[in-house]
Amino acid sequence: MRAIIDLLFGRHPREGGDPGAPVATMPERLDSRLRGNDGRFRFGSLGKATLGLTIALLLTTPAAAFTPQEPAMLRDQVVYGLIPPVSQRMPAEPLIVDPTAKGRDLGRSGGWIRTFITQRRNSRVAVLYGYARLVGYNGKRELVPDILKDVTVVDGRDFTLTLRAGHRWSDGAPFTSDDIRYWWEDIANNPMLSPSGPPRFMLVDGKPPQVSFPDAVTARFRWEEPNPYFLPALAAARPPFIYRPAHYLKRFHARYTGEAELSPLIAKYKVRNWAALHNARDDMFRMENPDEPTLQPWMAMSKGTGSHLLFQRNPYYHRFDTRGMQLPYADGLDVTVMAGGLIPAQVATGKADLQAEGLTFSQVPVLVAGEGGGNYRTLLWPEGKAAEIALYPNLNYNDPVWRGLLRDARFRRALSMGIDRRIINRSLFFGLARESGVDVLPGSPLYKPERTGVWTGYDPERAAALLDQIGLKRKRGEAYRDLPDGRPLEVIVESSGEKPEVADALQIIAETWRDIGVRLLVRTVDRDVLRNRVYAGQTMMAVWGGWDNGVPDPDSSPEELAPMTQENFSWPKWGQYYQTSGSAGEAIDMPIPQELMDFARRWRRTTDETERRALWSAMLDIHADQIFAIGVVSKTPQPIAVSNRLRNVPDKGLWLWDPGAYLGIYRPDEFYFADARPADPEPAGLHRGGE
């Protein structure tokens, strides 16, 4: 096996640049010149006044030499008058990127990227890989304008969004501030479409912003207090899409379309009312509706089937390289729905160009063995979550006896010290993972080495002593302890069963917990069922990943560390209470979680980076001491299979959902095929012939 690991590292020449290098757009190259001691133009610190870029300055240098080039795939459509030439399709002020500044090649246009997904609903892959956002993260995980030309922020509470003049939707209709107005007035504030009102990231102390639209390219949001959640939400892996194609959706909205026109559409799509019709046709994230226009680099095609989805290049995409070639380089995404267990074999036979979904570290030997015949390479990117495997004692569990025990920090500490993380790492990950609790990773500026090892070292004697102290006695001759009410001490851990490494880790944990008198039982359920059971307080303990963002900075939201969301399996009902303003869930009734909530609220109200750093540090210290989630390992390797024909894919990166959208932050619209042929209109031509 050591030979396999050796084979996986250091044997492939780099074809992409350093993933940590900044994306070399003109705004970012001007960033360092425009950022001064007064903190102006600093997207990474949303609390300080921010000076937006002027597009005239942005394009002064390249404009004279910039000649837009027509992607080969679209030339016939231009010739036959189906779409205008690229010079008329592009925004007046496009976003110009320079791949060479980060060690990449200026690519070739053409080809379809083949990939597999495990469920139809994962058609979201097009929006993740596309990663076109109003503002987005660059390679340094700094927020910069993308779809927007500019963002101006004053005191962390006054945001002016400036669109690119001449920007168009994928169907050629103008993209203007009216599309943001439509979302705000007709979706977010329409009780039929948004019964709970505007989303929480749009509220500060329960109050919405003042919103205005001075002209066709400007939208302004002003809150009374700072709103540090606003821009990160726009850049998220799953963005809120605070804009919608109004020209398309108005036909399904009762404010703009009469009942006589809506009724046949409601009958056609078999929905109960106009709101359900509107929701069915409005699918910006999964892109299940090919008729809905998009701003992503690839748009859904109606030629797909239930198990085969096609996403073809958007003729009106706003990004160009320095030569003038319109991105994306690849003509499209060719996506096949397949059971996860079958995907590694498909990859090994060369039927994927870019694949991560459905691949786990246990399959690395199979992937490596197939590289020669499949003409691909296997990359290993570390997971960017705060932990890849973590156990979540549910402090809101419905059983009152168990609830009291799970809320006892001594019990959580004992369970943590009863885990031999070294065995798990060596047995399952060949020692390549990091043995730790749930904590920020060393790459984060908030990381403190002294937190490592707090209650996470393997110490069964100390763990047993804590259990004795609690009063969990073990009868003479019995392997396991009993609860105070006489029931056996059986910890039931529920898992989605999607990763074999998790099942194997739980088996090892069961063996070491046995030594301290705790019996571990595993129940496997579908991930949606698991979530719902946790939210309802029916799950005693769940196994999941750690906090989504393992590399936060002081300006990152700490809401995952506080009872602010039901998605944190440690306290789902407290999260529900906060998310619903008290209409669901339970109020916090423990002092330390309440303290975390108070820290998170203080973080939101301050714009001082020093204070934010101190608040983050205090919250992380509390988690290290209280073990609200029991981390096992982090930075586990995620295999990514990349065709040898596909270039500009970085060899090194961080596999992270948010911020980053997995591969999205590395800009797949800049990936290209070295042997791309011009004008390959269908994926069956170049890639699926002979299969």
Side-chain angles (χ1 to χ4, degrees):
M1 188 57 67
R2 174 53 54 188
I4 293 176
I5 299 302
D6 290 342
L7 188 64
L8 286 174
F9 290 92
R11 57 180 176 67
H12 292 300
R14 288 181 62 85
E15 294 188 50
D18 179 0
V23 180
T25 60
M26 288 302 295
E28 293 164 63
R29 284 187 284 169
L30 289 171
D31 183 326
S32 61
R33 303 180 211 169
L34 294 180
R35 188 186 295 156
N37 294 331
D38 60 357
R40 296 178 71 79
F41 187 68
R42 191 171 186 271
F43 282 91
S45 181
L46 304 183
K48 298 183 179 179
T50 306
L51 177 64
L53 297 173
T54 60
I55 201 68
L57 178 59
L58 187 153
L59 287 178
T60 297
T61 301
F66 186 88
T67 303
Q69 299 184 39
E70 193 73 64
M73 181 186 192
L74 302 178
R75 288 172 186 162
D76 284 349
Q77 296 184 50
V78 173
V79 169
Y80 290 104
L82 300 178
I83 58 174
V86 64
S87 60
Q88 297 176 26
R89 300 197 309 271
M90 60 184 278
E93 301 157 323
L95 178 58
I96 304 171
V97 301
D98 185 2
T100 62
K102 52 182 172 177
R104 292 184 171 184
D105 301 327
L106 292 166
R108 303 175 62 177
S109 179
W112 291 68
I113 298 176
R114 298 170 301 169
T115 192
F116 294 94
I117 56 177
T118 56
Q119 305 176 75
R120 170 76 187 220
R121 66 182 182 183
N122 287 354
S123 58
R124 64 182 190 172
V125 66
V127 173
L128 296 179
Y129 283 12
Y131 196 60
R133 305 293 189 265
L134 292 176
V135 295
Y137 292 99
N138 62 17
K140 290 183 176 180
R141 302 189 189 278
E142 299 169 333
L143 286 168
V144 294
D146 180 15
I147 292 174
L148 294 176
K149 165 189 167 182
D150 178 29
V151 182
T152 302
V153 186
V154 178
D155 297 332
R157 63 180 184 82
D158 189 339
F159 298 78
T160 300
L161 314 184
T162 304
L163 282 59
R164 298 179 185 277
H167 195 173
R168 296 179 178 275
W169 291 93
S170 57
D171 63 354
F175 170 56
T176 71
S177 60
D178 279 343
D179 297 306
I180 300 178
R181 181 197 297 270
Y182 180 81
W183 172 79
W184 177 247
E185 295 181 355
D186 297 313
I187 296 180
N189 282 286
N190 184 288
M192 289 290 289
L193 297 177
S194 302
S196 300
R200 179 161 292 277
F201 78 93
M202 294 295 295
L203 305 178
V204 175
D205 292 332
K207 300 177 182 178
Q210 296 179 12
V211 183
S212 61
F213 305 93
D215 54 50
V217 295
T218 308
R220 188 176 183 186
F221 297 85
R222 287 177 289 177
W223 285 269
E224 295 179 4
E225 300 291 336
N227 184 355
Y229 302 122
F230 183 55
L231 292 188
L234 305 186
R238 179 165 189 164
F241 296 104
I242 67 166
Y243 54 89
R244 291 294 202 279
H247 68 284
Y248 170 76
L249 289 175
K250 283 181 178 179
R251 74 186 74 173
F252 310 115
H253 199 296
R255 178 179 176 182
Y256 302 97
T257 304
E259 184 177 354
E261 297 174 74
L262 285 172
S263 294
L265 292 174
I266 292 172
K268 175 182 177 181
Y269 291 103
K270 300 178 181 179
V271 292
R272 63 183 182 278
N273 55 33
W274 74 264
L277 172 66
H278 190 282
N279 289 336
R281 306 311 292 162
D282 181 21
D283 188 11
M284 300 284 285
F285 185 56
R286 292 180 180 169
M287 297 180 72
E288 293 275 3
N289 175 15
D291 294 330
E292 184 174 31
T294 183
L295 300 177
Q296 298 297 315
W298 298 285
M299 57 186 185
M301 297 178 62
S302 59
K303 295 181 181 180
T305 64
S307 61
H308 189 205
L309 312 175
L310 299 175
F311 300 90
Q312 183 174 292
R313 70 164 57 250
N314 173 4
Y316 296 89
Y317 191 49
H318 67 287
R319 303 180 92 227
F320 289 73
D321 70 18
T322 50
R323 293 172 307 184
M325 176 59 69
Q326 186 181 33
L327 298 177
Y329 288 135
D331 285 332
L333 303 177
D334 182 1
V335 182
T336 301
V337 183
M338 181 170 290
L342 303 177
I343 291 177
Q346 296 293 312
V347 172
T349 54
K351 295 182 179 178
D353 299 306
L354 185 62
Q355 188 64 44
E357 184 171 342
L359 303 183
T360 64
F361 184 76
S362 63
Q363 298 157 346
V364 167
V366 174
L367 296 172
V368 171
E371 286 185 340
N375 192 31
Y376 64 89
R377 64 193 188 277
T378 306
L379 309 178
L380 292 179
W381 286 11
E383 283 272 4
K385 295 195 290 288
E388 172 59 12
I389 302 175
L391 300 172
Y392 286 84
N394 190 346
L395 305 188
N396 302 140
Y397 188 42
N398 292 336
D399 185 305
V401 175
W402 269 107
R403 178 186 292 208
L405 184 59
L406 295 171
R407 291 187 177 194
D408 192 325
R410 296 172 298 174
F411 183 65
R412 302 192 299 270
R413 291 165 181 164
L415 295 184
S416 179
M417 290 189 293
I419 299 174
D420 192 335
R421 293 167 175 81
R422 185 170 180 268
I423 289 180
I424 293 173
N425 188 14
R426 288 177 173 265
S427 301
L428 305 182
F429 303 104
F430 306 112
L432 299 176
R434 178 173 177 266
E435 301 152 22
S436 69
V438 178
D439 192 10
V440 296
L441 304 180
S444 167
L446 299 167
Y447 173 74
K448 290 198 315 187
E450 53 265 35
R451 289 195 200 98
T452 303
V454 177
W455 305 114
T456 57
Y458 181 50
D459 193 340
E461 292 184 3
R462 193 178 179 194
L466 283 174
L467 297 176
D468 290 339
Q469 187 182 107
I470 296 171
L472 301 171
K473 304 301 183 182
R474 179 160 36 182
K475 297 176 182 177
R476 185 182 299 274
E478 295 291 333
Y480 299 109
R481 300 170 184 267
D482 292 330
L483 292 171
D485 63 2
R487 286 183 291 169
L489 185 62
E490 295 177 341
V491 176
I492 302 173
V493 176
E494 298 191 15
S495 168
S496 65
E498 296 173 355
K499 293 186 177 182
E501 295 91 345
V502 173
D504 293 340
L506 290 175
Q507 183 175 350
I508 295 172
I509 294 172
E511 294 173 1
T512 57
W513 277 5
R514 176 188 174 92
D515 295 338
I516 62 174
V518 178
R519 187 178 186 184
L520 187 156
L521 302 175
V522 179
R523 176 184 292 153
T524 302
V525 296
D526 177 80
R527 69 158 50 200
D528 290 333
V529 174
L530 172 60
R531 284 195 180 104
N532 290 333
R533 284 180 53 79
V534 171
Y535 300 161
Q538 298 170 346
T539 296
M540 177 190 302
M541 188 176 296
V543 60
W544 202 254
W547 310 318
D548 282 341
N549 186 4
V551 287
D553 59 37
D555 291 315
S556 302
S557 170
E559 66 177 10
E560 287 188 282
L561 281 66
M564 302 177 75
T565 169
Q566 70 173 0
E567 281 73 27
N568 189 318
F569 288 177
S570 296
W571 38 54
K573 292 188 178 182
W574 293 340
Q576 294 166 14
Y577 189 85
Y578 173 77
Q579 288 178 303
T580 63
S581 300
S583 63
E586 299 174 359
I588 301 173
D589 56 355
M590 284 182 66
I592 294 178
Q594 183 60 58
E595 186 178 13
L596 289 171
M597 178 68 85
D598 294 340
F599 284 156
R601 285 171 170 158
R602 285 174 55 189
W603 176 90
R604 191 198 68 199
R605 291 187 175 95
T606 183
T607 59
D608 182 78
E609 183 173 336
T610 301
E611 185 178 0
R612 283 187 169 179
R613 181 181 294 273
L615 291 167
W616 255 104
S617 185
M619 296 176 76
L620 290 170
D621 289 344
I622 288 174
H623 275 271
D625 179 62
Q626 291 292 308
I627 312 292
F628 289 120
I630 304 170
V632 181
V633 289
S634 60
K635 299 190 72 175
T636 57
Q638 168 63 47
I640 304 172
V642 183
S643 169
N644 291 329
R645 301 167 43 247
L646 190 63
R647 306 296 172 81
N648 280 352
V649 183
D651 283 350
K652 296 181 180 180
L654 192 65
W655 189 251
L656 181 59
W657 164 251
D658 204 5
Y662 294 138
L663 283 165
I665 197 171
Y666 301 98
R667 295 298 183 184
D669 59 355
E670 297 174 18
F671 299 172
Y672 76 97
F673 288 101
D675 58 351
R677 300 189 313 196
D680 179 26
E682 299 292 340
L686 182 57
H687 297 308
R688 292 194 176 270
E691 292 184 5

